[in-house]
Amino acid sequence: MKIIELPIAFEFNGQTNTIFPSLIIANDELTLVDTGYPNFLPLIEHEITKKGYEMKYLKNIIITHYDDDHIGSLYDFKEKYPWITIIASEVESTYISGEMKSERLVQAEALLEHMPLEQLEFGTWFIKQLKDLKHVAINQKVHDGDMILQNECRVVATPGHTSGHISLYFPKLNSVITGDAAANEKQGLVIANPHFCLNMDNAKRSLRKIQNLQADTYYCYHGGKITI
């Protein structure tokens, strides 16, 4: 088994940004962790094939949490590769499937009521982005401590950014895929996008939790991997 990061560069608001979904390779089977913004499927496909892998071996997609930069292209992946198993925490699955309004949408709508005039355009656009996300059923709902991917990966509950956020720990590789529980800032682990955290106290505890794993490598969605 090995993990590689997929750097996906894109333009947003006049600036170049990069996200880093992870690809897990085990016994010729591929597992993608998070799917980028809407319409990112071709970008991710290109990065996977550029690294020498074939999309027909994509078996799973794991979603760390419900945010538009993590589930934006999930529906497109499921439509194109209907055989894939979609894995997420039980809490997040209710938002991804549309059973409940997402916490992020509730937060955004509440903030919009008190948003300064100069920020209203962005706030309105962001809410539309969240409402336009297409719902997808979750095939496998997981909980803290569950072992998945042939018992090579342990699910680590890391709430704070969202209440059902998960990270992934690989004991044999001594590596962690952090999602948004941590970001790489100047080769150090920090809380990702703190202004978006739904519970800052939980986010701080979750950051300590994955730091205490003392992994050799942390694969951060924002900022890329850190090798200790």
Side-chain angles (χ1 to χ4, degrees):
M1 173 178 280
K2 65 178 179 178
I3 303 169
I4 60 174
E5 56 182 2
L6 306 172
I8 308 295
F10 60 99
E11 296 290 325
F12 180 76
N13 202 22
Q15 294 183 330
T16 300
N17 294 270
T18 305
I19 55 172
F20 296 87
S22 295
L23 186 69
I24 304 161
I25 302 99
N27 300 321
D28 296 323
E29 293 180 349
L30 306 178
T31 297
L32 175 66
V33 183
D34 294 329
T35 65
Y37 285 102
N39 304 313
F40 271 33
L41 183 148
L43 298 176
I44 295 174
E45 283 180 324
H46 174 74
E47 197 64 31
I48 291 173
T49 55
K50 188 175 78 173
K51 293 185 182 300
Y53 300 101
E54 297 182 62
M55 296 304 299
K56 67 181 180 181
Y57 296 116
L58 181 64
K59 183 179 181 183
N60 309 293
I61 292 181
I62 301 175
I63 298 296
T64 59
H65 66 292
Y66 182 103
D67 264 337
D68 63 335
D69 59 333
H70 292 255
I71 69 159
S73 292
L74 179 60
Y75 180 88
D76 295 339
F77 271 98
K78 187 64 173 178
E79 283 287 290
K80 189 169 183 178
Y81 307 106
W83 61 81
I84 60 175
T85 297
I86 300 175
I87 303 168
S89 75
E90 185 159 16
V91 173
E92 297 294 310
S93 69
T94 61
Y95 309 133
I96 298 168
S97 66
E99 297 169 58
M100 293 179 63
K101 180 189 286 191
S102 76
E103 297 171 307
R104 187 68 70 214
L105 181 55
V106 171
Q107 179 194 45
E109 288 176 337
L111 289 172
L112 189 68
E113 296 178 10
H114 308 287
M115 197 166 280
L117 188 62
E118 64 272 15
Q119 296 178 14
L120 277 178
E121 183 179 356
F122 173 79
T124 303
W125 170 85
F126 184 60
I127 287 172
K128 184 178 186 304
Q129 287 290 105
L130 294 174
K131 287 184 174 180
D132 286 347
L133 289 171
K134 294 179 180 178
H135 300 302
V136 184
I138 301 303
N139 305 117
Q140 183 178 349
K141 301 175 184 179
V142 296
H143 305 86
D144 187 39
D146 285 356
M147 298 299 294
I148 59 174
L149 306 182
Q150 289 81 50
N151 291 320
E152 298 281 357
C153 172
R154 190 175 87 211
V155 175
V156 182
T158 46
H161 189 76
T162 63
S163 63
H165 189 290
I166 58 172
S167 301
L168 306 170
Y169 176 54
F170 299 81
K172 290 183 180 178
L173 300 176
N174 200 20
S175 297
V176 176
I177 296 175
T178 70
D180 278 2
N184 177 356
E185 187 174 290
K186 298 178 181 178
Q187 292 303 300
L189 294 175
V190 299
I191 291 172
N193 300 313
H195 51 290
F196 279 108
C197 284
L198 293 173
N199 187 310
M200 184 55 73
D201 289 338
N202 283 343
K204 291 176 180 176
R205 280 191 284 269
S206 291
L207 178 60
R208 288 195 297 269
K209 185 177 184 179
I210 59 175
Q211 287 173 322
N212 288 340
L213 291 170
Q214 297 184 334
D216 295 326
T217 307
Y218 290 88
Y219 293 85
C220 300
Y221 197 75
H222 300 286
K225 72 176 180 180
I226 298 174
T227 301
I228 307 300

